[in-house]
Each structure stands twice: as structure tokens, then as C-alpha cells.
Amino acid sequence: MDLVEQLHETIARHKLFAPGDRIVVAVSGGPDSTALLHLLFLLSARWGWNLVAAHANHGFRPEESEREAGLIREQVLGLGIPFAYEQLDVPAHLEQHGGNPQEAARELRYRFLRAAAGKWQAQKIALAHHAGDQAETVLMRILRGTGITGLAGISMIRQEGNVQLVRPLLRMDKNTLEDFLAARGIPYSVDSSNGKLKYTRNRIRLETIPFLAQYNPSIVESLNRLAELASADDDYMEQEAAIIFRKIANAEPGSVRFSRGDCLGLHVALQRRFIKLILNYLSESMEHHDFPAVEQVRNSLASDAKPNAEIGLPGGICLIREYDRVQLVHNRLPKADMAYTYPLEGISGSIFIPEAAGWISYQFKEADEAPGAAFVHEACFDAAGLSYPLQVRNRRQGDRMQVFGLNGSKKVKDIFIDAKVPASLRDRVPILTDGRGHLLWIAGHRRSTHAPVTEAARQVFCITFRPLSDCQMRDEKNVPF
């Protein structure tokens, strides 16, 4: 079937667009988005669409980026449709908010696309993700650890605010799109960064999938089929969980109450969905509602050891259990003056510390893989220079640290005073200590002189602290379990 007609059928079958829709088409200049623009244009008269081409220049590759923008502008003018363009200031965004350059670029790009949709009164934003992108996403999530929701991969339609993100090419092969462009002599750009193996997705696309294709030449199709099946199962389970929620839960602003017996009477799959639905209701940031958080609630309900308990959860949520009565509430953390200690076991791990309202993550790495740490929310140490076991705790009376960059030691109390840390928060701050009781790192503040990473280091211990207030949801890459 002709590719234009194939896309027409896909749009009609899945109700991706309606006649007369205003659509912003995201165009990067690569073959996928260029094909999307021309395919939708060829169908626009039949459907009565009003198209707007939108391009965001990230500025990562100045010369290439300018050529891409020029080529897109030329094609858009040739088609006679409006062109929305913006030069993104990613460095300024990173300086103000921090984070990963690729994630920052993505956040700014989607912000631009939503703004373009608002300006042109568009109901839909068309994105050019294809079957290869879907396969990469599903495989990445399998490797990281995921459940049915993650296996569903990228959704074909997703509501975001007042607009829908629509991916009409999600079931189409990249080679088919390139053949479409070649047959019509339509030029496109090739992003040189797509070949750089420092990016995980590139390694998946260029190394992992070709390797797996030796065992299954149809690996991309298989992963897409898995995503389609998982998406239907996930949708069904979400509907069932919503029915259960309405039936057995009593929801109020910032609080949900239910019977322990009612929850435990559900199939374990519905228990997890029910709990996750409650966590989503109480906190907008779904990043914290992963498998460990859901299992922490479920295991607490299943245990007969503590019929009365109060447990802090990620996202500022607290579980209160009183015999059969269970309540999940928002913004009720454990008392700040409660001492805590968390041992760091194994070569890597992540620990949610409710008293500190954040995550501690740690890992032993080869020296050449370790990042240059700024000693604020991340610190690295020469593994050979540490005394074990390591642990994270809050401050104790009389704590002192040999601060990096200073002569002698300094009281932790004075470090907090100098940093203007409110007194009510000082007992929450995580502190890394070694087997001899030495203070190695005060998360978010100072690092000690112990075990510096030098050129002689062979293995490095890296630790990070991520306050929940700094966490941001990451759209497609962020998967609830």
C-alpha cells in the first residue's frame, strides 16, 4: 500500500486527527520529521487540516543547526504553510535549573511546541517517533527494569495540558520513511550526534538491537508487538483499578482512606495498581511512585508484625496504619529530631530517606567512568582510601569534619550555620560516614579531605543525594515500575 494511504488508514483507525484540526508538526530536519511533515501535507487537503511547522534550534551543533533550520524553512515556505521557529538557550536553562543537557533541551523543545500550539490555536502536536524509536524505548526500559506500564512504550496519543501529543508514524519503519523521501527527492539533514556512542539510546540503536537481530531478525517488529499488547493490558488494568478505587477508597483533598482487608482481598496485580493510583492522586510527580514505593506500602499492609505504624514514602506521602484502617496522606513526614542510620550495602544501590525527603544513590565505578563531582549533591572518593562499612546518617552531637579546602576540622553545626541551613532542617541532612566514624560528606554542602580521587585511583566510590524538591518528571523516559 502507498505510504500516504497507509498513514491515512492509521489516522482514521486510531482517530489520531479529526477533519479540520489545527496541527503543529514538530520538525527537527531529520528524515523522520521531514517525512511526517510532507505526509501530513499530502493528506491535509483531504482532511481539511491547518498545519504549522515548528522547529526548535538547540544550538548544540552551531553550523549543522543553522543548515538544518535553513533547509526546513525553505521546505516549509515551499509548502506554503506557517513556520514557527525558536532559538533555545539551553546553557542558560542549565545554569538556572541544572540537570542533563539532553533532558533540558527536551524540556525547552516541548515548552516551545506547546507555546506554538497556543499561538496558532492548534489542538494537536504531531511528533515523528517511529517503530525503531518504540523498539529502542521498550528495550531500554526492559534493561532498566520495568513492568507492564513501561513495556507499553511510547503512546500513540497522549494528552498534555490543552493539547494532544500524537505520533502517527509509531508503527512505521524508518527505512520506509527514508524510501518515501528518496522517491520524491526530498532532502533532509542527518544529526551527527546520532552516531555518538556516549548516549545510551544511540548504543541501544547502533549496538544492542543489531546484536539481538542475530537471534531474531524481526526484533524491532517483536518489540513493537510487545508494546502494543502491553499497552492494551495496561489500559485494561488501569480501568479496573479505577473501578476498585471508587468502590473501596474514601478520597479527600490530600488524603485517601481504605480498609486493609479490602486491599489485601484483591489480586496482587490489582493491589499494586490500586496503591499506585492512590500515590498518583496524592502527588503529581509520578517519578516517585515506582515499584519499591508501591511494594513498601503493600508489604506494610500485608505484615502482621506492626498493626499500628506510620511510614514516610517518596513524594512527601505518609502511610498511617491503625489495625484495619489505612490512610495515605500528603505532607506528613516523620519527626525531624528522630535519629536515623542507613548502611550502604553492595556495589550499588538507591535508598529513599524519608527523614531527609530524598534519595541516596551510590555506586562503585572504574576511575575513568567517574564524573567530576562538585561535592554538592554528588561526591566521589578513591575506593581504596575508604574504611568500610559505609553508612548514611544524620548529625550527632559533637560531629566534626575535616573539610576539603580548609585547614583542620570544623563542627558540623558551624558548617550548617555558615550555609544558613534552617535549624529545623539540620537533623534531616544526610551525612556519609566510614567504618572509623569519619565524616566524609555532608550531602548538599561540604566534602571532607578523605580519599580524594587522584590519577592513581583505580576504582571510585560515587554517591549522590537527590532531594525530592529537585526531582522533575521526564515524560517518556520515566516509567512507573
Side-chain angles (χ1 to χ4, degrees):
M1 183 187 299
D2 175 77
L3 190 60
V4 177
E5 293 305 316
Q6 183 181 338
L7 181 59
H8 170 76
E9 278 202 6
T10 298
I11 291 171
R13 182 168 64 254
H14 296 283
K15 300 179 181 179
L16 303 182
F17 302 116
D21 270 350
R22 293 178 180 270
I23 306 169
V24 169
V25 186
V27 187
S28 68
D32 317 328
S33 61
T34 301
L36 175 64
L37 174 65
H38 285 269
L39 284 165
L40 292 181
F41 178 77
L42 291 172
L43 289 171
S44 60
R46 192 187 311 184
W47 287 80
W49 296 328
N50 293 292
L51 303 181
V52 177
H55 175 68
N57 187 340
H58 301 99
F60 286 140
R61 301 161 288 109
E63 292 185 7
E64 283 187 31
S65 297
E66 289 301 321
R67 287 198 300 270
E68 288 172 355
L71 179 60
I72 296 167
R73 182 179 287 107
E74 181 181 339
Q75 292 189 32
V76 171
L77 292 176
L79 296 175
I81 62 177
F83 181 48
Y85 173 82
E86 183 167 319
Q87 175 72 50
L88 303 180
D89 193 348
V90 179
H93 181 86
L94 288 170
E95 184 176 347
Q96 183 176 0
H97 302 282
N100 178 282
Q102 298 298 320
E103 292 173 10
R106 184 185 182 285
E107 179 183 342
L108 293 177
R109 181 170 68 253
Y110 274 76
R111 184 185 301 174
F112 157 67
L113 292 173
R114 290 192 296 269
K119 177 181 178 181
W120 295 94
Q121 298 181 326
Q123 303 93 343
K124 311 283 178 65
I125 297 175
L127 303 170
H129 298 90
H130 53 74
D133 296 319
Q134 181 73 296
E136 294 163 17
T137 299
V138 173
L139 188 54
M140 287 172 65
R141 292 177 177 180
I142 291 173
L143 294 175
R144 290 171 178 168
T146 189
I148 294 178
T149 300
L151 291 178
I154 307 171
S155 58
M156 189 171 280
I157 303 177
R158 185 169 66 83
Q159 190 72 34
E160 187 168 293
N162 297 325
V163 297
Q164 281 187 336
L165 304 182
V166 184
R167 299 176 173 89
L169 309 182
L170 200 57
R171 306 282 166 78
M172 294 187 179
D173 179 72
K174 182 180 182 69
N175 292 332
T176 304
L177 300 174
E178 292 178 345
D179 290 344
F180 165 81
L181 296 174
R184 288 160 177 76
I186 301 173
Y188 57 85
S189 303
V190 177
D191 187 341
S192 61
S193 66
N194 286 341
K196 295 182 178 179
L197 297 178
K198 68 177 181 178
Y199 301 117
T200 301
R201 183 175 287 273
N202 288 356
R203 293 198 300 273
I204 293 290
R205 183 179 67 256
L206 299 174
E207 296 181 339
T208 309
I209 289 182
F211 175 78
L212 294 176
Q214 298 178 74
Y215 300 93
N216 179 4
S218 301
I219 183 65
V220 171
E221 293 84 348
S222 296
L223 289 169
N224 273 264
R225 186 165 56 251
L226 173 62
E228 187 171 355
L229 293 171
S231 179
D233 289 354
D234 184 58
D235 184 60
Y236 172 76
M237 291 296 291
E238 285 295 292
Q239 292 180 32
E240 290 298 302
I243 293 172
I244 294 296
F245 183 90
R246 289 191 294 268
K247 185 180 296 185
I248 70 174
N250 185 353
E252 300 173 353
S255 171
V256 176
R257 289 182 288 109
F258 59 93
S259 161
R260 170 177 177 257
D262 286 345
C263 181
L264 295 180
L266 302 172
H267 187 282
V268 64
L270 275 175
Q271 287 181 30
R272 289 175 176 140
R273 294 279 177 162
F274 173 68
I275 293 168
K276 179 170 167 284
L277 198 59
I278 294 175
L279 297 179
N280 291 347
Y281 172 80
L282 293 175
S283 175
E284 293 182 358
S285 182
M286 292 184 291
E287 180 174 1
H288 319 307
H289 308 160
D290 54 7
F291 182 78
V294 172
E295 286 300 275
Q296 188 175 3
V297 174
R298 201 175 68 83
N299 291 336
S300 176
L301 298 182
S303 173
D304 293 321
K306 295 182 179 180
N308 295 283
E310 185 169 330
I311 302 172
L313 300 168
I317 297 173
C318 183
L319 166 67
I320 304 169
R321 176 183 162 189
E322 298 170 320
Y323 297 102
D324 188 60
R325 183 179 183 274
V326 180
Q327 185 177 18
L328 285 159
V329 298
H330 191 251
N331 288 331
R332 181 168 174 174
L333 294 174
K335 295 180 180 179
D337 59 357
M338 185 181 298
Y340 66 84
T341 301
Y342 294 87
L344 306 187
E345 300 172 340
I347 61 173
S348 66
S350 292
I351 302 173
F352 176 69
I353 302 180
E355 297 90 345
W359 287 92
I360 283 288
S361 299
Y362 59 94
Q363 184 177 10
F364 285 87
K365 301 180 179 180
E366 296 302 317
D368 58 355
E369 296 178 352
F375 312 148
V376 180
H377 288 318
E378 181 176 25
C380 292
F381 302 85
D382 185 342
L386 296 175
S387 298
Y388 299 91
L390 303 177
Q391 64 181 12
V392 169
R393 62 168 174 80
N394 59 347
R395 66 172 180 168
R396 301 288 188 268
Q397 185 69 30
D399 272 347
R400 302 183 70 92
M401 171 186 276
Q402 292 179 319
V403 180
F404 185 90
L406 298 179
N407 293 324
S409 64
K410 189 170 185 176
K411 291 182 179 179
V412 170
K413 178 181 178 181
D414 292 338
I415 293 174
F416 285 151
I417 291 173
D418 292 346
K420 298 181 179 179
V421 178
S424 61
L425 299 180
R426 294 172 192 171
D427 286 332
R428 298 191 184 276
V429 179
I431 298 175
L432 174 67
T433 65
D434 68 5
R436 297 181 179 177
H438 295 135
L439 275 63
L440 305 178
W441 176 57
I442 303 176
H445 297 284
R446 303 303 292 266
R447 181 220 200 273
S448 76
T449 58
H450 292 282
V453 178
T454 65
E455 292 183 357
R458 301 183 65 180
Q459 191 176 49
V460 176
F461 174 79
C462 294
I463 183 169
T464 62
F465 174 63
R466 186 175 55 158
L468 295 184
S469 58
D470 291 350
C471 298
Q472 297 179 351
M473 191 170 64
R474 290 165 37 192
D475 192 66
E476 309 289 1
K477 297 181 180 178
N478 191 29
V479 190
F481 36 132

